[in-house]
Amino acid sequence: MDILNTLKEKTYKIEEAFLSPFATFSKNTLGRDKAEKPCEMRTDFQRDRDRIIYCKAFRRLKNKTQVFFSPEGDHYVTRLTHTLDVAQISRSIARTLNLNEDLCEAIALGHDLGHTPFGHSGERILNKLCPMGFKHNEQSVRVVEVLERDGQGLNLTVEVRDGILHHRKSGKPKTLEGKVVSVADKIAYINHDLDDAIRAGVITLNDVPAQVLKTLGKSSKERINTAISSIYRNSIGKNSVEMEAEIKGASEELRAFMFKHVYLRDVAMAEEEKAERMLSDLYYHYLKFPESLPETYKKLLKNYAIEQVVCDYLSSMTDRYAIYTFQKLFIPKGWSFGDESR
């Protein structure tokens, strides 16, 4: 036991020796809502990272859309591979700025746990259906606080939950590590979504504004390296995580291009209409027949509005499970007529 405690103390000493004064130190965590015995070997942020990795919501990310609904190719980005991209970019930025890599990784791995099937289309649909609205960052926090472990939640630290809640562009994380994940999320999705759009034949690299490619780079590897290098030059030794103005401006231009030519183009919106019909039918079915919800979600009805619980269930679904459930509930099954040779 003494040896294990020594390992955690060693981590604390390494942080004291090498982290920026603006970093979040593991030993200074604000802790958890429910007190529990500390791990003998791991810091609280390392423990949070492990809890997220092993939770059910994390496993389901592999079959959730990032951009393209249920893509048939093997190399398209899913919500899981996007999450791993964000975690890797976050750790790289944290390392260059001498921030807490463990905290960054935990936030990054948990930031999209509450995402819906069918990507941001699913989020927009549930936001229209649910009277209290729906935002995937808030749902991600609800997953770790309420839904995981059959309603017990994961009991994560304050810093990790804050980073998950505020990872969106409009968010204001309280830690620099939270800001790292917010920036890394944008770097990951605009670059890897661009690769997917080109792979799918939706656009070509020549469609991207030439000045954007000149400033950021022609490959995702070059663009990500440009962004991380810019953050280092602009933020090292400061209480901020920001790209230089030129790089930030080119990144925003690329993001605007992606929204116009990929995310919100006619073919994408046509698929969203199909997803809306499907999720709407499922939503109203479970409102009408709450007894058909899984047992875990029926228990939640004691403390939460039915509209909230139905959104909890629908947002937990993978793309293929949502389609399967819709088919099971609303598509007639074939009949067997026996020997038709008579």
Side-chain angles (χ1 to χ4, degrees), residues 66-280:
Q66 173 66 12
V67 176
F68 298 99
F69 292 0
S70 301
E72 295 182 1
D74 291 333
H75 301 125
Y76 288 98
V77 175
T78 65
R79 190 60 59 182
L80 177 61
T81 55
H82 163 73
T83 294
L84 297 177
D85 288 341
V86 175
Q88 178 58 40
I89 294 170
S90 295
R91 290 198 71 121
S92 295
I93 295 172
R95 195 173 300 122
T96 66
L97 299 181
N98 300 320
L99 300 177
N100 194 315
E101 291 186 45
D102 293 327
L103 176 54
C104 282
E105 185 174 30
I107 295 170
L109 292 174
H111 84 283
D112 271 355
L113 291 179
H115 235 302
T116 60
F118 313 121
H120 285 284
S121 293
E123 181 176 15
R124 287 190 290 269
I125 293 162
L126 288 190
N127 188 50
K128 285 197 296 184
L129 290 171
C130 188
M132 60 277 293
F134 184 94
K135 295 179 181 177
H136 80 273
N137 58 315
E138 295 176 358
Q139 188 67 19
S140 295
V141 174
R142 183 166 168 80
V143 167
V144 301
E145 287 186 342
V146 177
L147 301 180
E148 271 297 324
R149 296 199 300 190
D150 294 325
Q152 298 181 63
L154 300 179
N155 197 27
L156 303 182
T157 57
V158 170
E159 293 86 355
V160 172
R161 286 180 288 137
D162 173 79
I164 291 172
L165 179 63
H166 293 286
H167 78 268
R168 295 181 68 156
K169 193 171 186 290
S170 58
K172 295 181 180 179
K174 294 178 181 178
T175 65
L176 284 190
E177 288 79 6
K179 293 178 182 177
V180 165
V181 175
S182 181
V183 173
D185 185 32
K186 313 308 174 293
I187 294 171
Y189 78 68
I190 61 174
N191 286 293
H192 292 124
D193 291 358
L194 174 59
D195 290 344
D196 272 2
I198 293 171
R199 182 178 293 113
V202 174
I203 57 173
T204 69
L205 191 61
N206 291 331
D207 294 323
V208 182
Q211 188 58 45
V212 168
L213 296 179
K214 182 178 179 181
T215 302
L216 301 180
K218 292 187 176 181
S219 69
S220 59
K221 175 183 176 181
E222 291 174 343
R223 293 189 296 271
I224 291 170
N225 185 65
T226 296
I228 294 173
S229 298
S230 179
I231 291 169
Y232 170 75
R233 290 191 299 268
N234 199 47
S235 304
I236 186 66
K238 301 177 183 178
N239 189 18
S240 67
V241 180
E242 289 279 352
M243 299 180 203
E244 297 156 306
E246 181 185 12
I247 306 303
K248 183 178 181 179
S251 297
E252 289 294 333
E253 187 176 352
L254 178 57
R255 183 174 181 271
F257 170 85
M258 291 296 293
F259 269 91
K260 181 178 180 180
H261 296 279
V262 179
Y263 303 139
L264 300 179
R265 62 177 286 162
D266 291 344
V267 63
M269 298 312 291
E271 292 303 303
E272 182 167 324
E273 290 177 9
K274 298 176 186 177
E276 181 165 7
R277 288 195 294 272
M278 185 187 308
L279 290 178
S280 295

Side-chain angles (χ1 to χ4, degrees), residues 42-88:
R42 297 166 296 168
T43 70
D44 284 341
F45 298 148
Q46 291 169 345
R47 201 176 188 186
D48 282 359
R49 178 258 187 202
D50 294 349
R51 289 182 179 185
I52 292 168
I53 282 281
Y54 293 118
C55 78
K56 292 179 180 178
F58 185 80
R59 281 176 247 161
R60 290 195 296 267
L61 295 177
K62 67 181 179 180
N63 289 315
K64 289 193 176 189
T65 285
Q66 173 66 12
V67 176
F68 298 99
F69 292 0
S70 301
E72 295 182 1
D74 291 333
H75 301 125
Y76 288 98
V77 175
T78 65
R79 190 60 59 182
L80 177 61
T81 55
H82 163 73
T83 294
L84 297 177
D85 288 341
V86 175
Q88 178 58 40

